[in-house]
Amino acid sequence: MINSGAKVILEIRGLTASVAGVSILKGIDLTVRAGEVHAIMGPNGSGKSTLAKVLAGHPAYEVTGGTVLFEGKDLLALASEVRAQAGLFLGFQYPVEIPGVTNSAFLRLAYNTVQSGRGKEELDPLEFDDHVRETMKLLEMSPEFLDRSVNDGFSGGEKKRNEILQMALLEPHLAILDETDSGLDIDALRVVASGVNHLITPDNACVLVTHYQRLLNYITPDYVHVMESGRIIKTADKSLALELEARGYDWLLNEKLDS
Amino acid sequence: MQSQLEAVSIIQALVAGGKGLAPSAAPWLNERRALALERANALRLPSIRDEEWRFTDISMMGRVPFQLPVPHSVIPDISAYVLPEAQWRLVFVDGIFNVGLSSLGAPVKGLSISNLGDAIQNTPQLVVGHLAQHAHYENRLFCAINTAWLRQGAFIHLAKEVIIKDPIHILYINTQAHATVNVRSLVVLERAAQCTVVEDFVGLGEEATFTNAVSEFAVASSARLHHVRVQRETPAALHIAACAVSIEQDGVYQSQSIALGASVSRYELEVLQKGPGVEVVIDGLALIKERQLADTHTLMDHAYGSGQCRQLHKTIVDGRAHAVFNGKVLVREGAQLTQSAQQSRNLLLSSDARVDTKPQLEIFADDVKCAHGATVGQLDQDHLFYLKSRGLSEARARNLLTYAFGAEIVARIPVRSLAAQLERAVMTQAQTTL
């Protein structure tokens, strides 16, 4: 939902970043306002997942230039955990497995840490159990996922549902979902997308990083950006995604070369 | 050198003590004990000059005045170690069977649980084919001493097709300073029998004790044994143990072995496949700190084909502690279609902590799948990032992952109350709470 008067949640200016000395992001500019859904598309290796990880503070990436303001604060100066507490959420393309820690304990720890970081009240195990079971209904998740180890032995679809469950619990102001559609069958995609749609409000924003257009059949973006070689080379409305689906990325890259 | 000599004299005293033991009423047992005594006299105390013992210095044997436990009537409080799930419990205090603390439950047809000494007298036909027949003492001094001393221990026998769901708890509890204790477990599962056995080695107080334990497990065809072993002796203790497992066709042996206590501990597990198609799981966790040393030696002997073995040995080492793992997998000629995988994962929590890990694969068959891997080191950066992206501080994330590292093994223990106790021990080491 575009509302040009809405407050700016994320403002990226001239962001450059490298990994192991190799430059990946070569000058990103992006403004995301409350209520907006942005899709970042692009071929493999274009830097879109790197952008997601840099915003969440992955230690393997070095920011070499530019600025990022998150609700007016200097995001890059914050440790990853402080970014999470401030309201930034990254849904992982490959959520890690943590055998030995039950999902319920992990979710409660994350929830309470973020709550206390925001000066809000923590929930005791019983209260949290009620809360998480209610929230799981949104993603059609069986309560048995609470007793299993975090993501351990989960299918691709189950892992992604668990990511969106965390998004629902942590109530971010900005959710960046990195390839959330990858590895999902059509039913899981529908459930995950419906969960995300349910969580989008006029007060928060969502950035979908995706290679394919298919997720955007379910979550309608206000803007579609195409990345190539570490830059955003085109920004348009949702029709661009359909065009990319029909024509691939090559014509766009050629168009860029021609200009 | 001095301590080495003294250690030898301790051994000689033990051996002499063995000689002085009254002969058992069973001639077959006297014969086996005499053979073991002969070997005990002939074998030399291992030292760090022996390849198999190069990291495991047991010279404390010469510094601590170990002695035979004194008979006494003080009954220790074992309430902290009682497992509510276990209706059967055999308790040995300083190596001596304590009937008052034990719980023999209601009789179940086909299930025998008793002091080994009683079984030797009353049901020798169940014992003679197995006792001192699986754990080889010819070249192992401590096993030879244990066998020469053999008179008490835990005995569990399941007749064919008997399935016992509740765990059976063997509690070896040491209470006396400097006590030298020989303990023995014999567990026999006939065809298609099933049970879970917990061997729990506990030390009360802070003083040094010396446990010399030997366990024998015979798993007949299609039988299933789940073996949980917990070593939580006093921080000054010396613990030397050997466990020999024989598995016949299509038998299953699963084990979790957790080492928390003792100043110096050594656990040698040998699993022998005596028929095709067995399934074996060997999980280990050593959780040590300060100047503790925990040594685990395993041997998976695939003497027949189509066996599957999955082994995961983990250590969490803090302070100046030292963990040792030597995992040997032997696939004998003709043992085709063997699948054997071994992983050694080690987490060092301090710069003075040390790990020596050595996989040893000897494969004499060509159609097999065998794998091994070892890691020594730090926590995974992507795991840390995942937790931090959910709001956890660096320290909290590290501690949680350290906990998870150990808890993965503990979570496989099928006795909930014991797993919960051990989870708390892992949390303490990881400085975390959940």
Side-chain angles (χ1 to χ4, degrees):
Chain A
M1 181 184 66
I2 300 176
N3 172 3
S4 56
K7 77 166 177 172
V8 174
I9 291 197
L10 183 72
E11 185 159 26
I12 306 176
R13 291 288 168 265
L15 181 65
T16 60
S18 63
V19 60
V22 178
S23 170
I24 309 281
L25 299 184
K26 296 170 182 165
I28 301 283
D29 295 291
L30 179 67
T31 301
V32 178
R33 291 175 187 274
E36 293 176 353
V37 175
H38 291 241
I40 297 182
M41 303 184 71
N44 289 329
S46 58
K48 55 192 194 300
S49 275
T50 296
L51 175 61
K53 287 179 186 161
V54 165
L55 292 175
H58 194 293
Y61 299 89
E62 189 195 352
V63 174
T64 49
T67 59
V68 180
L69 294 180
F70 179 65
E71 299 185 321
K73 292 186 287 279
D74 179 4
L75 185 74
L76 301 176
L78 305 177
S80 337
E81 64 268 29
V82 182
R83 298 182 197 193
Q85 290 165 14
L88 184 134
F89 178 84
L90 174 63
F92 280 56
Q93 181 177 7
Y94 302 111
V96 305
E97 299 179 1
I98 312 177
V101 175
T102 61
N103 209 26
S104 60
F106 164 70
L107 293 171
R108 180 162 46 84
L109 188 57
Y111 177 83
N112 280 337
T113 307
V114 166
Q115 284 289 102
S116 84
R118 292 173 186 167
K120 291 185 183 171
E121 206 170 320
E122 300 187 18
L123 293 182
D124 69 31
L126 285 176
E127 293 168 331
F128 181 76
D129 194 58
D130 290 342
H131 180 49
V132 72
R133 280 168 189 266
E134 195 56 39
T135 313
M136 287 171 92
K137 290 180 187 163
L138 175 69
L139 292 150
E140 301 177 20
M141 279 177 86
S142 156
E144 72 170 66
F145 286 98
L146 292 173
D147 297 328
R148 291 171 57 180
S149 288
V150 180
N151 293 327
D152 187 23
F154 287 25
S155 71
E158 288 160 356
K159 284 180 180 168
K160 296 301 171 74
R161 284 182 207 213
N162 208 35
E163 290 296 285
I164 305 307
L165 174 62
Q166 292 168 51
M167 172 180 164
L169 291 169
L170 301 182
E171 299 179 347
H173 307 171
L174 175 67
I176 303 164
L177 304 180
D178 188 7
E179 306 276 5
T180 290
D181 51 332
S182 69
L184 295 190
D185 64 30
I186 199 73
D187 290 330
L189 182 65
R190 182 185 52 75
V191 171
V192 163
S194 141
V196 173
N197 281 327
H198 189 86
L199 299 171
I200 295 172
T201 72
D203 297 321
N204 62 26
C206 189
V207 174
L208 307 168
V209 173
T210 180
H211 185 83
Y212 298 105
Q213 185 268 343
R214 139 182 126 121
L215 177 66
L216 308 181
N217 290 335
Y218 297 89
I219 307 173
T220 309
D222 299 301
Y223 296 97
V224 174
H225 311 275
V226 177
M227 275 187 75
E228 162 61 15
S229 301
R231 291 189 180 86
I232 291 175
I233 58 166
K234 192 169 179 73
T235 294
D237 65 14
K238 64 181 177 185
S239 63
L240 176 58
L242 293 169
E243 195 169 1
L244 289 168
E245 183 73 1
R247 298 175 65 188
Y249 286 105
D250 285 352
W251 64 274
L252 196 55
L253 308 183
N254 294 336
E255 189 177 82
K256 180 188 154 210
L257 284 177
D258 293 344
S259 66
Chain B
M1 207 56 212
Q2 183 61 28
S3 65
Q4 180 72 16
L5 286 172
E6 284 172 17
V8 171
S9 71
I10 297 280
I11 294 294
Q12 281 168 347
L14 280 172
V15 170
K19 200 184 287 176
L21 272 178
S24 143
W28 59 268
L29 181 58
N30 291 331
E31 196 176 306
R32 287 176 198 178
R33 290 203 325 206
L35 282 171
L37 186 59
E38 202 178 296
R39 291 307 298 155
N41 277 313
L43 291 167
R44 156 181 86 70
L45 188 70
S47 80
I48 52 173
R49 286 185 297 277
D50 295 290
E51 176 62 24
E52 288 292 299
W53 290 78
R54 57 188 286 229
F55 299 116
T56 304
D57 181 358
I58 54 170
S59 60
M60 70 181 281
M61 290 189 72
R63 292 190 299 272
V64 179
F66 288 120
Q67 59 193 10
L68 295 176
V70 185
H72 66 102
S73 56
V74 181
I75 295 171
D77 178 5
I78 63 163
S79 53
Y81 302 100
V82 167
L83 304 176
E85 296 93 334
Q87 56 164 313
W88 293 283
R89 181 174 62 244
L90 294 170
V91 181
F92 297 80
V93 179
D94 300 317
I96 310 294
F97 181 61
N98 187 308
V99 70
L101 293 174
S102 299
S103 165
L104 295 176
V108 172
K109 192 169 183 297
L111 171 68
S112 310
I113 298 181
S114 70
N115 181 8
L116 181 57
D118 296 339
I120 290 166
Q121 279 197 345
N122 303 333
T123 52
Q125 74 280 6
L126 300 181
V127 182
V128 66
H130 296 287
L131 187 60
Q133 301 296 291
H134 303 283
H136 298 290
Y137 54 75
E138 290 74 15
N139 294 307
R140 291 148 100 188
L141 174 66
F142 293 105
C143 190
I145 292 171
N146 184 292
T147 306
W149 264 78
L150 217 163
R151 49 181 177 162
Q152 298 219 349
F155 176 68
I156 299 168
H157 180 273
L158 274 72
K160 67 177 183 181
E161 293 169 9
V162 171
I163 295 173
I164 301 295
K165 292 231 157 50
D166 295 339
I168 301 167
H169 187 195
I170 305 170
L171 179 60
Y172 293 113
I173 188 158
N174 288 345
T175 66
Q176 284 185 42
H178 306 151
T180 294
V181 172
N182 282 294
V183 295
R184 187 107 184 176
S185 304
L186 175 63
V187 177
V188 179
L189 273 63
E190 303 291 358
R191 184 174 57 77
Q194 296 183 18
C195 73
T196 296
V197 173
V198 177
E199 280 189 296
D200 197 357
F201 298 87
V202 169
L204 298 184
E206 299 289 317
E207 301 278 358
T209 55
F210 171 29
T211 296
N212 179 21
V214 175
S215 305
E216 292 180 288
F217 295 99
V219 180
S221 61
S222 303
R224 299 179 71 97
L225 174 64
H226 201 128
H227 174 210
V228 179
R229 179 182 209 280
V230 182
Q231 184 272 101
R232 34 184 169 173
E233 302 244 29
T234 72
L238 173 63
H239 178 96
I240 295 180
C243 178
V245 183
S246 299
I247 315 171
E248 290 173 4
Q249 179 168 358
D250 298 325
V252 177
Y253 172 76
Q254 294 172 292
S255 73
Q256 282 82 40
S257 156
I258 316 291
L260 304 172
S263 172
V264 174
S265 67
R266 161 101 167 186
Y267 179 51
E268 296 176 10
L269 172 66
E270 293 192 359
V271 180
L272 172 63
Q273 186 181 342
K274 292 179 81 175
V278 310
E279 187 188 323
V280 176
V281 173
I282 304 170
D283 294 321
L285 173 66
L287 199 65
I288 50 173
K289 58 187 184 211
E290 292 164 6
R291 301 187 74 98
Q292 286 181 289
L293 180 141
D295 175 352
T296 301
H297 271 58
T298 63
L299 166 63
M300 178 66 229
D301 186 345
H302 292 283
Y304 286 81
S306 306
Q308 291 189 21
C309 176
R310 187 178 56 67
Q311 183 171 15
L312 177 60
H313 189 78
K314 289 187 162 186
T315 71
I316 304 179
V317 190
D318 203 352
R320 301 175 64 83
H322 185 180
V324 180
F325 175 67
N326 188 297
K328 185 168 170 180
V329 175
L330 178 58
V331 182
R332 293 184 191 261
E333 203 179 327
Q336 301 294 13
L337 303 177
T338 294
Q339 293 186 28
S340 208
Q342 180 190 86
Q343 291 290 331
S344 162
R345 306 234 169 278
N346 306 278
L347 204 50
L348 303 176
L349 299 185
S350 89
S351 54
D352 293 324
R354 178 173 168 187
V355 166
D356 285 280
T357 179
K358 182 176 158 195
Q360 221 180 322
L361 269 63
E362 296 181 12
I363 300 172
F364 301 98
D366 52 9
D367 189 9
V368 301
K369 268 191 203 156
C370 291
H372 68 88
T375 57
V376 177
Q378 310 301 320
L379 296 164
D380 186 277
Q381 200 183 45
D382 284 325
H383 284 65
L384 279 171
F385 176 59
Y386 188 69
L387 294 179
K388 288 166 74 180
S389 80
R390 299 303 181 249
L392 275 62
S393 68
E394 172 86 17
R396 196 75 206 263
R398 281 185 178 282
N399 292 346
L400 184 65
L401 289 176
T402 303
Y403 165 75
F405 183 88
E408 181 186 10
I409 301 289
V410 171
R412 296 177 183 178
I413 293 175
V415 184
R416 192 56 226 151
S417 66
L418 181 61
Q421 282 180 22
L422 296 170
E423 277 163 10
R424 285 193 288 278
V426 181
M427 279 184 199
T428 304
Q429 177 100 337
Q431 299 183 325
T432 195
T433 53
L434 271 181

